[in-house]
Amino acid sequence: MQIKGFQGTSLLDFPGRISALVYTGGCNLRCAFCHNPGLVLDPDQYPDFPLPELYSELQKRKVFIDGVVVSGGEPTLERGLKTLLTRIKELGLQVKLDTNGLQPKVLADLLECGLLDYLAIDLKTAPRRYSELHSAPVDVGALLESCQLAMTSAPEYEFRTTCVPGLVTDREIVEMGEVIRGGRSWVLQQYVPRAQLLGRAPAEAYPMEVFEHFQKLAASCVVQVVGRGW
């Protein structure tokens, strides 16, 4: 298990909890709007954060944090993920996992073992457009399986969509909404132009009125729509 980053305290990444953040490297997508491009393209540029040191830090901090967010990169690619989460739970901390949802078997195992308290799945665009997010074929069936798994098995969950101009339009919102219809929470995030992978992302974000329009469209599909980034 390779940990590429650690942040001791966050109030933003785990709804309703104070958390620590753990980052893994590598990903099975190449999204142009990725907010952690270094972790995707060249994770080895970052030194590994030793696991014994990580557990020691969490042990010290558990008196004032509620949980740990494991993000990336794509954490489900790490073979040692289950062991990591088990150790975190043994410390009495809750776990939130950020994922792109392309490894449903991993998610199913973690949920079955009771290792996830909160699951956040990035729903990046309409399923028919996922081939635009990588240079290799993307298993959209795996994504759909993970979405259903979240809605039926996760204690708490959210779907997240970054509203990237061109990649997310009215049509994509409607199509994504059908995938997660009846779900509890859909977070629409404003696109941040400075976060780009290989310089291929749009130079500007949608204006506020378009962002609000997307939220209204999404509201007909899920119980709660949350806007972030304004």
Side-chain angles (χ1 to χ4, degrees):
M1 181 78 190
Q2 293 184 328
I3 303 300
K4 294 298 182 180
F6 173 72
Q7 180 178 333
T9 307
S10 171
L11 297 174
L12 301 175
D13 295 85
F14 200 156
R17 288 86 158 177
I18 300 172
S19 63
L21 306 182
V22 172
Y23 296 94
T24 67
C27 189
N28 46 4
L29 290 177
R30 293 293 183 271
C31 304
F33 55 94
C34 180
H35 65 287
N36 283 330
L39 287 174
V40 172
L41 295 177
D42 186 18
D44 290 337
Q45 70 179 290
Y46 304 103
D48 292 343
F49 195 96
L51 285 173
E53 185 176 340
L54 173 66
Y55 298 137
S56 176
E57 286 292 331
L58 294 178
Q59 177 70 40
K60 296 175 186 175
R61 295 170 186 275
K62 72 176 188 177
V63 296
F64 59 86
I65 64 173
D66 304 303
V68 178
V69 177
V70 182
S71 189
E74 177 49 48
T76 60
L77 299 178
E78 289 286 340
R79 292 184 178 180
L81 178 62
K82 186 174 181 179
T83 299
L84 172 68
L85 301 190
T86 299
R87 291 292 302 274
I88 292 172
K89 295 291 284 183
E90 287 173 348
L91 290 171
L93 295 168
Q94 295 188 340
V95 172
K96 173 177 177 275
L97 181 69
D98 293 341
T99 178
N100 60 27
L102 295 180
Q103 300 288 327
K105 291 183 179 179
V106 174
L107 297 181
D109 183 41
L110 297 177
L111 287 166
E112 184 177 352
C113 293
L115 296 176
L116 299 182
D117 299 286
Y118 199 108
L119 179 60
I121 295 180
D122 287 323
L123 192 57
K124 299 175 184 295
T125 186
R128 62 182 170 80
R129 298 192 64 182
Y130 259 68
S131 61
E132 300 174 41
L133 304 176
H134 202 23
S135 56
V138 177
D139 184 0
V140 175
L143 171 68
L144 302 181
E145 184 178 345
S146 291
C147 290
Q148 288 301 310
L149 187 63
M151 291 189 286
T152 58
S153 301
E156 294 185 74
Y157 67 88
E158 68 181 40
F159 299 103
R160 304 184 304 196
T161 299
T162 300
C163 296
V164 181
L167 191 65
V168 175
T169 68
D170 285 12
R171 181 179 177 185
E172 282 72 38
I173 291 289
V174 170
E175 292 180 21
M176 287 185 285
E178 288 303 315
V179 171
I180 60 173
R181 180 167 291 280
R184 294 180 200 165
S185 182
W186 189 3
V187 177
L188 298 185
Q189 302 178 148
Q190 180 60 297
Y191 165 66
V192 179
R194 68 176 179 272
Q196 298 190 18
L197 188 80
L198 303 177
R200 295 185 288 111
E204 296 183 2
Y206 280 123
M208 185 60 179
E209 57 266 26
V210 174
F211 191 60
E212 291 178 337
H213 171 65
F214 288 160
Q215 293 181 61
K216 291 177 182 178
L217 283 179
S220 65
C221 302
V222 296
V223 175
Q224 177 187 41
V225 175
V226 178
R228 289 181 188 158
W230 280 96

